[in-house]
Amino acid sequence: DVKVTQSSRYLVKRTGEKVFLECVQDMDHENMFWYRQDPGLGLRLIYFSYDVKMKEKGDIPEGYSVSREKKERFSLILESASTNQTSMYLCASSLWGASSYEQYFGPGTRLTVT
Amino acid sequence: KQEVTQIPAALSVPEGENLVLNCSFTDSAIYNLQWFRQDPGKGLTSLLLIQSSQREQTSGRLNASLDKSSGRSTLYIAASQPGDSATYLCVAYNAGNMLTFGGGTRLMVKP
């Protein structure tokens, strides 16, 4: 079974703090993704990565950065957290290829920025 | 750009009813169509994934169909139970492994 884990289920941070959200997958997947989910806006793609040290911007990258130093780990970084980054963050992973492979999602991290 | 719409946005039914959730998408060039369940405050639980070459998938009381030509998918839930109460998300897989999510249908099954 594919397993995608996220470092925290719940996180509370203060405005201006640097925040790290970690995601780890155990299936040797090339692709990894970070989404955020907000009421009325659905799930939106922040960043994705198709290989170690590679990253691509998604639909809403502003205010975020990512790091992929190892294949199994994809980190989302909020350089200076703001209240509008309060959200549910979901990580996913998939195989890479010409087709479009199933994405497997982690349990989510609910981040509150006060 | 792909758009995915789910109707209705919310649905309340008595226990035991069979029900259908609808999903429509604008670009028929999809690779997969997937249905997820999401409980309040929780992550996504995959229910069924239909590949573009398939017409339907079944798992227990759930049946999902896909009609690419009309841009529609339906999720059929038989003999609904209170434990089925959740938000159901439809997701289209586009080229480059990009996903487009529908807005969800919030289902309430009353005992």
Side-chain angles (χ1 to χ4, degrees), chain A residues 68-87:
Chain A
R68 189 145 180 222
E69 297 297 319
K70 292 185 178 182
K71 191 175 185 180
E72 67 270 19
R73 189 181 297 269
F74 191 35
S75 302
L76 181 69
I77 304 158
L78 287 64
E79 295 289 343
S80 178
S82 63
T83 55
N84 63 13
Q85 292 178 310
T86 292
S87 187

Side-chain angles (χ1 to χ4, degrees), chain A residues 31 94-95 97-103, chain B residues 30-32 49 51 92-99:
Chain A
N31 290 345
S94 76
L95 292 168
S99 181
S100 200
Y101 292 97
E102 181 174 0
Q103 291 190 20
Chain B
I30 63 171
Y31 286 85
N32 305 309
L49 182 142
Q51 296 177 356
Y93 281 66
N94 312 302
N97 218 31
M98 293 295 105
L99 305 188

Side-chain angles (χ1 to χ4, degrees), chain B residues 3-16:
Chain B
E3 292 182 8
V4 178
T5 303
Q6 292 186 245
I7 295 174
L11 183 63
S12 180
V13 300
E15 181 178 5

Side-chain angles (χ1 to χ4, degrees), chain A residues 9-10 31 33 35 37 43 45 48 88 90 94-95 98-103 105-108 110, chain B residues 1 31-32 34 36 38 40-44 46 49 89 93-99 101-103:
Chain A
R9 293 300 302 274
Y10 301 94
N31 290 345
F33 307 82
Y35 299 88
Q37 184 179 27
L43 277 95
L45 180 64
F48 66 99
M88 169 72 103
L90 291 158
S94 76
L95 292 168
S99 181
S100 200
Y101 292 97
E102 181 174 0
Q103 291 190 20
F105 283 82
R110 182 162 291 280
Chain B
K1 185 181 175 183
Y31 286 85
N32 305 309
Q34 189 167 12
F36 287 93
Q38 187 173 33
K42 305 289 177 130
L44 305 181
S46 177
L49 182 142
L89 293 170
Y93 281 66
N94 312 302
N97 218 31
M98 293 295 105
L99 305 188
F101 290 82

Side-chain angles (χ1 to χ4, degrees), chain A residues 30-79:
Chain A
E30 292 86 2
N31 290 345
M32 296 189 75
F33 307 82
W34 275 107
Y35 299 88
R36 65 177 282 178
Q37 184 179 27
D38 301 287
L41 296 175
L43 277 95
R44 295 175 291 169
L45 180 64
I46 305 171
Y47 267 99
F48 66 99
S49 167
Y50 53 89
D51 201 353
V52 174
K53 296 192 186 294
M54 306 302 289
K55 61 183 180 184
E56 294 285 344
K57 292 180 179 179
D59 298 321
I60 50 164
E62 297 79 18
Y64 302 94
S65 63
V66 291
S67 172
R68 189 145 180 222
E69 297 297 319
K70 292 185 178 182
K71 191 175 185 180
E72 67 270 19
R73 189 181 297 269
F74 191 35
S75 302
L76 181 69
I77 304 158
L78 287 64
E79 295 289 343

